[in-house]
Amino acid sequence: GAVVSQHPSRVICKSGTSVKIECRSLDFQATTMFWYRQFPKQSLMLMATSNEGSKATYEQGVEKDKFLINHASLTLSTLTVTSAHPEDSSFYICSASLQGMTETQYFGPGTRLLVL
Amino acid sequence: EDKVVQSPLSLVVHEGDTVTLNCSYEVTNFRSLLWYKQEKKAPTFLFMLTSSGIEKKSGRLSSILDKKELFSILNITATQTGDSAVYLCAVEANNDMRFGAGTRLTVKP
C-alpha cells in the first residue's frame, strides 16, 4: 500500500514553455502533498506544501507564480513550471501524507525535467 | 516492479544505544542508494552508496551497501535525542528514485 506515482517520469521542453507534473496517491487519500526539488549532491529542497482544497504554502525563495501548485483532490496534486528556463532543469519529487509533515510521507518516483 | 523496503518501521531507544536501520531493494539498473534524515522540512542528505563493501562514515553515523544481497544498513552509535527523526532510504535506478517508507527513530533521554 501507500503508493505515490508521478507523471511524466521524464520531460524535455523548450525554454519558455510550461510543463505540468502530476502527483497521485494511488491507494490512499492524501490530505497533504509536498513538492521537492533535487539539487546537486543529492540534497532535496522543499518547494511547497499543498493541502487539498486550499492554496499551497511556498517555502522562502520559491516563486509561487512560476511554480503553480494545485491540489484539486485528495489523490492528485499538480506542479506547473511556467515559462520554464534551463535553470529549472532538475529532478522534481512529490510526497504525500495523511496528516501533514509529522506523519509518514510516501514519496513518488520523481520527474526529471530538462529545459533546452 | 521496483521496490525499496525499510525495517523496522519504527524504533525507540535510549540515549547511548546503538541502532541499525535496514534497507533492502529490488530495482532494475541500480545506480546508487541514498540515505536521508528527515526531521521537519526537507530530508537531509546523509550518504550515497554505489559500491559494495565500502563503508561511508560521518561522525557517529555509518553506512554500507551489499549489492549482492541487495541491502544497505545505516548504523548510529551512541545515539542522542537529536538523532530522533525519520530515516529514509532511496534507490536511484533507471530514470527515477524509489523511496522506502522510512524508519521513525525515537531516542529517549
Side-chain angles (χ1 to χ4, degrees), chain A residues 42 44 59 101-102 105 109, chain B residues 36 38 40 42 96-97 104:
Chain A
Q42 291 72 43
L44 294 177
E59 295 299 304
M101 185 67 80
T102 57
Q105 290 185 41
Chain B
Y36 291 91
Q38 184 169 32
K40 292 181 179 179
D96 61 24
M97 180 183 287
R104 185 176 295 276

Side-chain angles (χ1 to χ4, degrees), chain B residues 28-47:
Chain B
T28 305
N29 297 327
F30 173 91
R31 287 171 51 195
S32 63
L33 185 145
L34 309 167
W35 282 98
Y36 291 91
K37 176 183 181 181
Q38 184 169 32
E39 294 173 273
K40 292 181 179 179
K41 294 287 187 178
T44 303
F45 171 75
L46 295 175
F47 299 111

Side-chain angles (χ1 to χ4, degrees), chain A residues 2 5 10 17 23 33 35-36 38 40 49 51 57 62 64 66 68 72 85 90 92 103 111 115:
Chain A
S5 69
R10 170 190 272 189
T17 60
C23 176
M33 288 186 170
W35 286 97
Y36 297 89
Q38 186 182 41
T49 304
N51 292 292
T57 301
V62 178
K64 61 181 181 181
K66 181 169 182 62
L68 301 178
H85 290 283
S90 189
Y92 293 86
E103 296 297 323
T111 295
V115 184

Side-chain angles (χ1 to χ4, degrees), chain B residues 41 92 103:
Chain B
K41 294 287 187 178
E92 291 184 311
T103 293

Side-chain angles (χ1 to χ4, degrees), chain A residues 38-57:
Chain A
Q38 186 182 41
F39 280 93
K41 296 189 178 181
Q42 291 72 43
S43 65
L44 294 177
M45 180 194 80
L46 178 64
M47 299 174 65
T49 304
S50 73
N51 292 292
E52 185 265 339
S54 62
K55 289 184 178 180
T57 301

Side-chain angles (χ1 to χ4, degrees), chain B residues 6-108:
Chain B
Q6 290 187 246
S7 63
L9 291 181
S10 66
L11 188 57
V12 180
V13 300
H14 288 92
E15 275 192 316
D17 289 349
T18 293
V19 298
T20 298
L21 310 183
N22 303 288
C23 176
S24 63
Y25 62 91
E26 290 181 31
V27 300
T28 305
N29 297 327
F30 173 91
R31 287 171 51 195
S32 63
L33 185 145
L34 309 167
W35 282 98
Y36 291 91
K37 176 183 181 181
Q38 184 169 32
E39 294 173 273
K40 292 181 179 179
K41 294 287 187 178
T44 303
F45 171 75
L46 295 175
F47 299 111
M48 181 173 80
L49 304 160
T50 55
S51 302
S52 280
I54 299 175
E55 184 183 55
K56 292 282 183 88
K57 196 171 173 65
S58 176
R60 295 176 294 103
L61 277 66
S62 64
S63 183
I64 198 162
L65 173 69
D66 186 327
K67 291 171 72 174
K68 181 179 178 183
E69 299 298 329
L70 307 182
F71 77 92
S72 173
I73 59 172
L74 174 69
N75 279 320
I76 308 176
T77 60
T79 52
Q80 303 171 358
T81 55
D83 295 327
S84 296
V86 174
Y87 290 84
L88 294 163
C89 167
V91 176
E92 291 184 311
N94 290 320
N95 197 43
D96 61 24
M97 180 183 287
R98 299 285 169 170
F99 281 82
T103 293
R104 185 176 295 276
L105 174 65
T106 303
V107 181
K108 293 187 173 182

